[in-house]
């Protein structure tokens, strides 16, 4: 034991005796600007080129298949020439439903915004109730499990009967379609709040309102945003279908109207826009969730 | 001997359906102001349940806890807990985690500026002021536990409850943090009750060690006074006869008379 101790002393004595080496200032070599830009361009190319190639190939196949005379669907070149006016001027307004695509899309988005906001508020509220109270869960959960399987459009006749107007009925269909995943995910998030956090709240003596705002919502936020993201996707699915039936301005009715007047190219263009908007909505909620749950998602 | 914290005939029975398990039986203990008491026992002996009862997070089946001669049976900042796994809220910064308790406890008695100064004072006590704006995921395990201690201290508890506070840390960090807690106890004179399963830790830190028998129906088997003068130094104690004797007593209790039997 004492042997090893002395050995250590001898070893540590050496560096102490050595003279202090002069400090040489080193400037870290910064990569030149152009190099950084080149790397950025490479990274972007890696992401952008493969989908572009696939799209180009698919368009080519589509063109070849549909170019024959007598083909039921138009090839991409025809779609473009047919819908050039709609693409170039989305803002025209000739009164009635003869409007540019921008107005149709914005009418649909307004309905979704209304219905989805209502379902987010009601869904998170009900989810908290079901997650927090065993009796609320026992009472409501079976009901939710049955109601959520009803297809969105099945609600439409009933809501038309109740509201006697297209606009509120469409909003109701959005609401009832998107609320279930929000309720269920919120409830799971609330139920999964670790006992530790509840203990901390108990020791600090937070009142129920403070507990809701400071512990419950942040702790369940990742789950809530999963529900919100599924919800926005379902809303966008439902609105197009609902608008086909209720008529008026809206991208859904635009598609139906184009079918009735056999403007197949316009349908293709509208589908393209529906897809893009749905994608953007999904990314929007995902991005919002990422910002809000910054701390919670890790750990 | 003035009883500051008194555990009075505590029994705890867990009931699940028709089956009942008696976890704690007839626990009596009095703790003086400023005392550092450890509770040691094998895992599953109900020592964490006992701490939860004192904290008010679990109710005792019979008997009760008296703090300054008043019964306490719900959780409160007068018995702040340092949890085993730090339990910091991951969406709050270090500063906000400590402030959560401070804002509640001193809502009426301290101004906003005073509360801010008090949070920083407590972070300084545990040497964590430099990380005030970091989130728990950005700091190490030992640092998290320091913040957990600061959060509990900042509530100015009458009794500080430590639930295996160093259990999840590596040996070097643990030793470092034990020294910190010892220094804080020396400086602030808190009354501390600590749950542990580490014999060295118990002897090093405590004035008294409460040894619990194995469950079910765990009782207090023996209470050992640790007559070592403070401040204690880890290195000096390694050769101290008193330290070794105390350590020996606890080891004998745990490994000879109340050997851990795997639950059947």
């Amino acid at each position: 034991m004492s042997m090893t101790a002395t050995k250590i002393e001898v070893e540590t004595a050496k560096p102490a005796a050595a003279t202090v080496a002069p400090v040489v200032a080193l400037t870290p070599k910064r990569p030149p600007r152009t190099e950084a830009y080149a790397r950025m361009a490479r990274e972007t190319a890696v992401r952008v080129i493969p989908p572009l190639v696939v799209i180009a190939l698919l368009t080519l196949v589509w063109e070849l298949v549909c170019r024959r005379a007598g083909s039921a669907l138009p090839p991409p070149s025809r779609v473009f020439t047919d819908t050039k006016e709609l693409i170039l001027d989305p803002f025209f307004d000739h009164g009635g439903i003869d409007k540019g695509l921008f107005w149709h899309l914005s009418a649909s988005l307004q309905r979704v915004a209304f219905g989805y906001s209502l379902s987010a508020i009601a869904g998170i509220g009900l989810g908290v109730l079901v997650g927090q109270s065993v009796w609320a869960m026992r009472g409501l959960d079976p009901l939710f499990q049955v109601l959520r399987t009803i297809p969105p459009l099945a609600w439409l006749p009933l809501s038309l009967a109740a509201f006697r107007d297209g606009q509120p009925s469409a909003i109701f269909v959005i609401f009832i379609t998107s609320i279930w995943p929000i309720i269920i995910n919120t409830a799971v998030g609330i139920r999964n709040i670790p006992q530790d956090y509840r203990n901390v709240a108990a020791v600090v003596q937070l009142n129920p309102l403070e507990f809701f705002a400071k512990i419950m919502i942040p702790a369940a936020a990742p789950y809530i945003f999963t529900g919100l993201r599924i919800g926005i996707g379902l809303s966008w699915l439902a609105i197009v279908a609902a608008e086909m039936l209720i008529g008026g301005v809206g991208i859904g009715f635009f598609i139906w109207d184009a079918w009735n007047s056999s403007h197949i190219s316009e349908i293709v263009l509208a589908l393209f826009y529906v897809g893009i908007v749905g994608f953007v909505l999904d990314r929007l909620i995902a991005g919002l969730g990422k910002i809000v749950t910054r701390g919670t998602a890790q750990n | 001997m003035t009883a500051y914290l008194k555990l009075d005939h505590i029994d705890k029975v867990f009931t699940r359906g028709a089956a009942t398990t008696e976890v704690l039986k007839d626990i009596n203990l009095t703790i003086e102001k400023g005392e550092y008491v450890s509770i040691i026992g094998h895992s599953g002996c109900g020592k964490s349940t006992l701490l939860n009862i004192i904290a008010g997070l679990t109710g005792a089946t019979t008997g009760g806890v008296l703090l300054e001669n008043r019964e306490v049976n719900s959780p409160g900042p007068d018995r702040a807990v340092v949890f085993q796994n730090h339990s910091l809220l991951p969406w709050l910064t270090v500063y906000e985690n400590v402030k959560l308790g401070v804002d509640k406890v001193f809502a009426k008695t301290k101004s906003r500026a005073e509360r801010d100064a008090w949070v920083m004072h407590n972070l300084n006590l545990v040497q964590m002021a430099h990380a005030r704006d970091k989130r728990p995921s950005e700091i190490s395990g030992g640092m998290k536990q320091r913040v957990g201690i600061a959060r509990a201290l900042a509530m100015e508890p009458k009794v500080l409850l430590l639930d295996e506070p160093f259990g999840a840390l590596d040996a070097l960090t643990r030793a470092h943090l034990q020294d910190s807690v010892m220094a804080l106890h020396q400086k602030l004179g808190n009354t501390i009750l600590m749950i542990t399963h580490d014999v060295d830790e118990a002897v090093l830190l405590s004035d008294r060690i409460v040894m619990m028998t194995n469950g079910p129906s765990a009782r207090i088997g023996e209470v050992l006074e640790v007559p070592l003068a403070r401040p204690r130094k880890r290195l000096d104690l390694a050769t101290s006869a008193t330290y070794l004797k105390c350590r020996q007593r606890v080891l004998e209790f745990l490994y000879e008379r109340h050997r851990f039997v795997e639950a059947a």
Side-chain angles (χ1 to χ4, degrees):
Chain A
M1 179 105 181
S2 59
M3 275 295 282
T4 38
T6 39
K7 231 187 231 167
I8 289 166
E9 257 170 46
V10 171
E11 274 179 343
T12 48
K14 266 183 197 164
T19 50
V20 180
V23 177
V24 180
L26 287 173
T27 43
K29 203 178 139 202
R30 190 191 283 163
R33 276 270 160 78
T34 47
E35 206 173 282
Y37 282 134
R39 204 182 51 223
M40 225 152 69
R42 243 197 330 272
E43 275 167 13
T44 320
V46 163
R47 279 163 197 277
V48 171
I49 289 175
L52 281 182
V53 169
V54 172
I55 289 169
L57 279 174
L58 285 176
T59 315
L60 189 71
V61 171
W62 176 15
E63 179 76 37
L64 291 175
V65 170
C66 294
R67 209 160 58 174
R68 293 171 292 122
S71 152
L73 295 176
S77 53
R78 263 257 324 274
V79 169
F80 183 71
T81 47
D82 284 356
T83 60
K84 216 158 121 191
E85 276 172 48
L86 282 170
I87 296 171
L88 294 180
D89 185 10
F91 298 109
F92 72 85
D93 186 352
H94 298 323
I97 57 159
D98 190 8
K99 291 183 195 311
L101 275 169
F102 172 80
W103 301 111
H104 286 289
L105 281 169
S106 90
S108 300
L109 280 172
Q110 268 173 35
R111 292 189 184 109
V112 167
F114 253 118
Y116 179 71
S117 307
L118 287 176
S119 83
I121 295 165
I124 292 173
L126 278 169
V128 168
L129 180 72
V130 171
Q132 187 67 354
S133 148
V134 179
W135 283 106
M137 188 190 77
R138 286 182 191 160
L140 290 169
D141 196 55
L143 202 68
F144 292 163
Q145 297 300 341
V146 172
L147 289 181
R148 78 188 177 92
T149 62
I150 298 175
L153 280 190
W155 289 101
L156 190 62
L158 194 68
S159 55
L160 278 171
F163 295 113
R164 296 165 192 284
D165 186 16
Q167 185 72 357
S169 303
I171 290 172
F172 176 76
V173 169
I174 299 298
F175 171 81
I176 206 76
T177 309
S178 55
I179 197 170
W180 311 116
I182 301 177
I183 294 178
I184 291 166
N185 280 285
T186 305
V188 171
I190 299 288
R191 231 171 286 148
N192 282 349
I193 295 176
Q195 186 60 40
D196 295 343
Y197 298 171
R198 293 180 187 274
N199 286 347
V200 169
V203 169
V204 178
Q205 285 184 331
L206 295 180
N207 63 39
L209 207 68
E210 288 168 322
F211 180 67
F212 175 78
K214 291 187 174 168
I215 309 278
M216 223 183 231
I217 291 299
Y223 291 88
I224 294 175
F225 270 95
T226 307
L228 287 175
R229 210 173 148 187
I230 301 172
I232 194 81
L234 291 179
S235 317
W236 193 238
L237 289 183
I239 189 64
V240 173
E243 280 174 349
M244 285 187 174
L245 297 176
I246 61 161
V249 179
I251 193 71
F253 188 68
F254 176 87
I255 295 174
W256 193 242
D257 195 39
W259 158 244
N260 282 332
S261 18
S262 303
H263 292 150
I264 308 298
S265 299
E266 286 181 12
I267 298 180
V268 174
L269 178 71
L271 291 189
F272 179 73
Y273 277 128
V274 169
I276 295 291
V277 171
F279 175 77
V280 169
L281 286 177
D282 181 67
R283 281 300 141 117
L284 219 61
I285 299 293
L288 190 67
K290 217 176 211 171
I291 295 168
V292 173
T293 61
R294 220 173 345 141
T296 335
Q298 320 150 2
N299 209 336
Chain B
M1 185 157 141
T2 50
Y4 187 61
L5 178 73
K6 185 166 184 195
L7 312 185
D8 197 5
H9 295 92
I10 291 179
D11 292 333
K12 178 69 188 175
V13 181
F14 280 119
T15 316
R16 171 169 283 180
T20 58
T21 328
E22 188 173 47
V23 182
L24 297 171
K25 188 166 173 60
D26 202 29
I27 303 287
N28 287 297
L29 186 67
T30 51
I31 295 172
E32 287 174 61
K33 192 169 182 172
E35 221 182 349
Y36 196 128
V37 175
S38 291
I39 298 180
I40 196 166
H42 290 291
S43 79
C45 75
K47 50 192 194 298
S48 279
T49 308
L50 183 59
L51 184 115
N52 281 343
I53 291 171
I54 300 168
L57 296 167
T58 316
T61 309
T62 56
V65 181
L66 295 158
L67 181 60
E68 289 186 314
N69 291 320
R70 275 213 217 132
E71 182 170 14
V72 284
N73 50 17
S74 62
D78 54 347
R79 282 151 292 132
V81 186
V82 176
F83 297 95
Q84 178 175 12
N85 49 358
H86 67 78
S87 294
L88 298 179
L89 304 176
W91 55 87
L92 298 180
T93 62
V94 162
Y95 175 83
E96 290 165 337
N97 262 295
V98 178
K99 192 149 191 287
L100 185 74
V102 171
D103 276 351
K104 246 344 241 184
V105 177
F106 302 107
K108 296 202 179 81
T109 49
K110 279 186 163 66
S111 72
R112 181 177 281 269
E114 281 171 335
R115 278 178 297 191
D116 170 74
W118 180 243
V119 171
M120 287 318 288
H121 170 75
N122 280 281
L123 282 176
N124 269 318
L125 278 181
V126 296
Q127 290 121 43
M128 283 302 295
H130 61 90
R132 57 169 289 170
D133 294 321
K134 291 225 165 78
R135 281 171 204 276
S137 55
E138 296 166 334
I139 57 178
S140 72
M143 288 175 161
K144 283 179 201 161
Q145 202 52 281
R146 281 176 187 276
V147 178
I149 292 169
R151 175 173 64 184
L153 282 176
M155 293 186 238
E156 276 197 331
K158 291 177 176 157
V159 182
L160 186 60
L161 302 173
L162 308 179
D163 187 4
E164 297 191 23
F166 317 117
L169 304 174
D170 66 88
L172 289 176
T173 313
R174 189 184 306 162
H176 201 58
L177 217 51
Q178 284 165 349
D179 291 343
S180 291
V181 166
M182 209 154 35
L184 284 172
H185 179 233
Q186 190 76 23
K187 190 172 167 186
L188 306 174
N190 309 73
T191 311
I192 302 183
L193 184 69
M194 178 176 78
I195 303 288
T196 184
H197 51 232
D198 182 332
V199 177
D200 290 296
E201 180 174 293
V203 179
L204 175 68
L205 295 174
S206 324
D207 297 315
R208 277 191 298 157
I209 302 173
V210 176
M211 292 170 253
M212 294 194 51
T213 64
N214 285 324
S217 306
R219 292 170 293 101
I220 292 180
E222 196 179 324
V223 179
L224 176 73
E225 297 257 356
V226 182
L228 288 165
R230 290 180 188 273
R232 296 171 183 170
K233 291 229 169 61
R234 184 181 298 276
L235 289 176
D236 300 347
L237 288 183
T239 50
S240 147
T242 325
Y243 176 85
L244 293 174
K245 219 192 282 172
C246 289
R247 197 169 172 276
Q248 185 67 22
R249 276 289 284 281
V250 181
L251 285 172
E252 268 171 17
F253 178 90
L254 289 176
Y255 297 104
E256 271 176 29
R257 279 181 286 152
H258 295 277
R259 213 139 51 112
F260 182 58
V261 214
E262 206 67 54

